[in-house]
Amino acid sequence: MKFGVSTFVTDDGIGPAPLGRALEERGFGSLFLAEHTHIPVSRESPWPGGPELPRRYYRTYDPFVALTAAAAVTERLTVATGIALIVQRDPIILAKEVASLDHVSNGRAVLGVGAGWNREEMRNHGTDPRTRMRLLRERVLAVKELWTKDEAEFHGEFVDFDPVFSYPKPVQDPHPPVLLGGSGPTTFDRVVEFGDGWMPIYGRGTDDLPNQIADLRERAGRRLPVTVFAAPPKAEVIAELTAAGVDEILFDLPTASEDETLRTLDGLAKLF
């Protein structure tokens, strides 16, 4: 079992470099950073986590800038998005960002992706929430083409470009893993078709995790890795997820000052 944290790095909490160092020093294997480019003031879309949206959602750094800072001061820590809202990102730029991060980290980048929940945020980027899942699919497939082909091209409903040169190519062969979030009725269709692993949020559609994981791997015909996002820091939860066949557990790390964060990490590290 591998252990990491999922968190928001913001302008009013611990910085990404000291956080990365602290995680590696304490034996954590990964840092997954959330993304929101902005939060519309209207707040029409309900937050799945409850009635009040925490302020860290609209104070977060760009994840790739923060992960680069963490990668520069670590040697083993996986640097990952959890999740990147790629329905709000240009795929050609995204491919270069992730490949660049993979180079800076010497092959430690992971791209966790999802379509998101904030419809107003999507619309501000020109994305129609009604077609976001089809857009998500095309952007992942296009990014993989850009990572793996010398003269990459893609022709879809939403993404369309003729042959291009796009470098650097990732360090990892064939490319950094793409983990798909979500736990809806069509999630496994996407994971099997164009994902490299599944990353559900603990407690959101994960009530039958052993059977869900077995079903996913049977459908895929291979042992797809499973990373559980925002797991409660409890020994019984670790035992439950281990028995279910999970490969990696991410503890939710509150956004806080450096001193407070270090104390929290000291406590979490005692669990494994």
Side-chain angles (χ1 to χ4, degrees):
M1 179 67 71
K2 295 184 287 187
F3 296 92
V5 301
S6 52
T7 191
F8 292 68
V9 171
T10 72
D11 61 338
D12 57 354
I14 186 173
L19 176 58
R21 280 194 299 265
L23 288 167
E24 190 162 88
E25 289 168 356
R26 288 160 177 78
F28 289 90
S30 57
L31 169 61
F32 280 71
L33 294 187
E35 171 177 44
H36 281 279
T37 55
H38 67 292
I39 295 294
V41 175
S42 67
R43 295 291 298 111
E44 296 172 16
S45 297
W47 176 49
E52 296 296 328
L53 185 70
R55 70 193 301 270
R56 65 182 188 168
Y57 274 73
Y58 49 87
R59 301 294 292 260
T60 184
Y61 283 7
D62 176 273
F64 296 107
V65 173
L67 291 169
T68 298
V73 297
T74 56
E75 296 180 354
R76 300 174 303 279
L77 189 72
T78 295
V79 285
T81 54
I83 58 172
L85 299 173
I86 68 169
V87 301
Q88 301 174 185
R89 283 185 168 271
D90 178 279
I92 297 174
I93 294 174
L94 177 63
K96 183 175 286 288
E97 286 176 323
V98 180
S100 299
L101 177 62
D102 206 43
H103 271 261
V104 169
S105 66
N106 194 26
R108 291 182 279 140
V110 170
L111 180 62
V113 304
W117 55 269
N118 193 314
R119 286 166 170 75
E120 306 90 88
E121 183 181 353
M122 298 173 208
R123 292 191 188 104
N124 287 348
H125 286 278
T127 294
D128 185 343
R130 295 170 298 180
T131 58
R132 68 189 187 279
M133 292 305 180
R134 301 207 306 272
L135 176 61
L136 171 73
R137 174 184 176 273
E138 287 194 9
R139 287 191 173 168
V140 171
L141 292 174
V143 165
K144 288 189 173 185
E145 287 292 303
L146 290 160
W147 282 342
T148 58
K149 301 292 178 58
D150 287 333
E151 297 184 16
E153 64 180 300
F154 194 89
H155 304 285
E157 179 184 4
F158 305 100
V159 180
D160 186 24
F161 53 86
D162 289 329
V164 300
F165 297 116
S166 177
Y167 287 84
K169 300 302 183 188
V171 172
Q172 296 178 75
D173 185 18
H175 52 69
V178 177
L179 307 183
L180 270 72
S183 55
T186 59
T187 296
F188 286 179
D189 295 337
R190 293 187 288 276
V191 176
V192 170
E193 181 191 0
F194 56 87
D196 303 301
W198 181 38
M199 186 168 62
I201 297 174
Y202 182 86
R204 295 189 196 175
T206 59
D207 296 336
D208 191 21
L209 204 53
N211 288 326
Q212 289 171 294
I213 292 175
D215 176 53
L216 171 63
R217 290 170 175 164
E218 181 178 358
R219 289 176 59 179
R222 63 192 192 278
R223 194 186 188 285
L224 280 171
V226 176
T227 295
V228 172
F229 192 89
K234 299 178 180 179
E236 58 268 29
V237 172
I238 294 174
E240 168 199 340
L241 297 178
T242 300
V246 170
D247 299 279
E248 182 174 26
I249 295 173
L250 306 178
F251 300 119
D252 181 43
L253 179 67
T255 301
S257 68
E258 183 168 342
D259 288 345
E260 187 174 349
T261 299
L262 297 182
R263 288 194 294 270
T264 300
L265 292 178
D266 287 338
L268 292 175
K270 295 176 182 177
L271 292 170
F272 60 89

